[in-house]
Amino acid sequence: MRRVLAITVAVVAALTVAAGCDSGTPDAPTAVPKSPTAAPSVSAGPSAPTSTGVPPATSTSPPTPAPIRKLKVGAKGADVLALQNRLTELGYWNGTADGKFGGATQQAVYALQKAAGTGRDGVVGPKTRKILDKGVRPKAKSTSGRAVEIDLKRQLLMLVDNGEITQIFNTSTGSNEYYEQEGETFLADTPSGKFRVSRQIDGWRHAPLGLLWRPKYFNGGIAVHGATSVPPYAASHGCARVSISAMNWLWKNDALPLKTKVWVY
């Protein structure tokens, strides 16, 4: 009888030890009893070995990285700041880098996309990131002194010093469509040629065809001027539009003084 009692005690002790081991999934949370009187669960015992006697290997594959987000107007963060710094490094004017994707950054992305000859949507996706990585920049035609070059095909306005492009802007020139004014029909074109800045107005010019901000005239009534709308395509009556902030920068830095060469091609 004593021997049977000893065997019974040994079995109970073995069951108690098994119940104290972690038999759940390694990452599963520990279960909490509903009340102090809840009975602990008892393990049925160790799992049967596999046919090879070796436990299954745990996967060690790294987690899939999150996709890089597209950057567009309204985006904020370190990736936007990095984009702005890269644009500045390449010469695409986008104001002060502040980590906020606003109108100035969109204008710079337009210019970058135009220089590369890709779609002009102002959004930084995979294709535009590759353009940034390659460091795509347009090439100047003038070789000496300060010049403003306006590329009609790519719709770019560039500041050039001794053959080196220092700043690149998105611009919108003549739409090449006909319009009527005072009963006459005119073509909204920006003639090509070599000119010079001949006069300027430091403020709004209420012209017959609209408002011009701080215009720099180089060919009669055709000027480089600031505008509230500068799309990534030709849309003006003949002038070369840039953003209001870009025009303010050009004035502040005296980048287009009188007699500056203006090459349109």
Side-chain angles (χ1 to χ4, degrees), residues 7 13 31 42 45 52-53 63 75 79 123 130 160 163 172 178 197-198 215 222 240 253:
I7 293 173
V42 180
T52 59
D79 48 357
V123 177
K130 290 181 180 180
V160 184
S172 178
Y178 289 96
V197 176
S198 55
I222 296 177
N253 292 274

Side-chain angles (χ1 to χ4, degrees), residues 84-96:
Q84 293 170 328
N85 287 328
R86 178 57 172 164
L87 288 168
T88 298
E89 179 185 4
L90 294 175
Y92 295 94
W93 188 87
N94 68 124
T96 302

Side-chain angles (χ1 to χ4, degrees), residues 19-160:
C21 294
D22 184 4
S23 61
T25 304
D27 293 332
T30 303
V32 179
K34 294 183 179 179
S35 67
T37 59
S41 61
V42 180
S43 171
S47 302
T50 61
S51 59
T52 59
V54 180
T58 303
S59 174
T60 58
S61 300
T64 303
I68 299 176
R69 64 169 178 161
K70 289 185 177 182
L71 301 179
K72 57 184 178 180
V73 171
K76 300 178 182 178
D79 48 357
V80 175
L81 183 62
L83 164 66
Q84 293 170 328
N85 287 328
R86 178 57 172 164
L87 288 168
T88 298
E89 179 185 4
L90 294 175
Y92 295 94
W93 188 87
N94 68 124
T96 302
D98 57 4
K100 300 176 182 179
F101 198 125
T105 302
Q106 182 187 52
Q107 289 285 307
V109 174
Y110 281 153
L112 171 70
Q113 293 172 333
K114 288 178 174 184
T118 63
R120 308 169 181 182
D121 61 1
V123 177
V124 180
K127 289 183 179 180
T128 302
R129 289 185 187 279
K130 290 181 180 180
I131 298 169
L132 282 167
D133 292 340
K134 290 180 180 180
V136 174
R137 282 168 50 88
K139 294 182 179 180
K141 290 192 174 184
S142 61
T143 57
S144 62
R146 161 59 61 88
V148 175
E149 296 190 17
I150 300 174
D151 186 330
L152 298 176
K153 181 178 180 180
R154 290 187 288 184
Q155 292 288 285
L156 291 173
L157 185 147
M158 300 160 284
L159 295 186
V160 184

